[in-house]
Amino acid sequence: MDESEEAPDLSTPAPGWRYARGDRAKRNSPLLRRYRDLRRRATAPIVPAVAPSMLRGLARTWRIHVENEHLREDVLESADGCIAVLWHGRMATAAPVFAGVNTVILVSMSGDGELADTLLQRLGYRTLRGSTRKIGVSTIRTMRDMLRGGGAVAITPDGPRGPRHRVNRGAAFLARASGLPILPFGFGVSRAARLNSWDRFTVPLPFSRVEVVIGEPIEVASDATDADLDGASDAIREALIAAETHAFSRLGAEVDW
């Protein structure tokens, strides 16, 4: 990526993906924005203080099985690093999977992102403030520095505000600019609490079975066109859906979305 090149707007979904404009308008209504702001202000001092220890305690009881463990060793823990992608609603479920790995999490610049940034740092992760919708040269340079020696930059391609399972071009653009492979992570949970949020945020209950399926790496060439980014974004979405469908099938359960 040329130093003078301006990062394009990556918010356009892959071709063929549609969602109701009315739903988006409802999510962005003044009343809901006010509610989200009040909720954030109320929880800001509490969540970072309580959630990390609670999540660590819960995770110790989960029975986690990882399929394609060799990809974790060969790609996630390699000296070159990778871009790990997972659905926004699976962030809590994913926490123990990335423990001990040099993981940099891309966190949005929104108010909710401020809360997430504090929480993630208290969980021991390094964070990089930015957006999968607009990724600039400085973000890419910082990310490369943080991943020297290996590790992963973790991205939720349907975040920070959805719609759920809609993939923007951010991960594909970042892969093109950095040369890192994209590694999809799907999660299936036997028993969980699910929030009534756009992403159906999932927190496995104590002693739940957690099936983790790692998909094959997705490469994006350095000379990929915008049409190629659309194709890669479609491939990411298909890989995540396939991984989670397989994860739930291993549990003998229907997917929860």
Side-chain angles (χ1 to χ4, degrees), residues 3 23 38 71 112 129 163 165 212 217 233 240:
E3 293 287 334
D23 291 344
L38 289 173
L71 290 173
D112 286 339
R129 301 302 298 274
H165 296 181
V212 184
S233 298
L240 287 173

Side-chain angles (χ1 to χ4, degrees), residues 135-154:
I135 298 174
V137 174
S138 61
T139 300
I140 294 167
R141 185 187 300 116
T142 303
M143 182 206 72
R144 283 172 172 160
D145 289 342
M146 295 174 81
L147 291 183
R148 281 182 181 168
V153 56

Side-chain angles (χ1 to χ4, degrees), residues 71-165:
L71 290 173
R72 175 187 171 97
E73 298 168 358
D74 296 346
V75 182
L76 182 64
E77 298 177 1
S78 72
D80 296 327
C82 69
I83 298 166
V85 292
L86 60 145
W87 294 133
H88 195 274
R90 305 302 194 198
M91 288 191 292
T93 313
V97 177
F98 291 90
V101 178
N102 176 27
T103 306
V104 178
I105 300 179
L106 190 64
V107 180
S108 77
M109 300 299 293
S110 66
D112 286 339
E114 188 70 33
L115 177 60
D117 185 60
T118 303
L119 174 59
L120 288 166
Q121 289 192 41
R122 292 193 181 184
L123 281 168
Y125 293 107
R126 295 198 294 168
T127 59
L128 177 60
R129 301 302 298 274
S131 169
T132 55
R133 297 178 185 275
K134 276 189 175 292
I135 298 174
V137 174
S138 61
T139 300
I140 294 167
R141 185 187 300 116
T142 303
M143 182 206 72
R144 283 172 172 160
D145 289 342
M146 295 174 81
L147 291 183
R148 281 182 181 168
V153 56
I155 291 179
T156 55
D158 59 343
R161 293 182 179 174
R164 181 166 50 136
H165 296 181

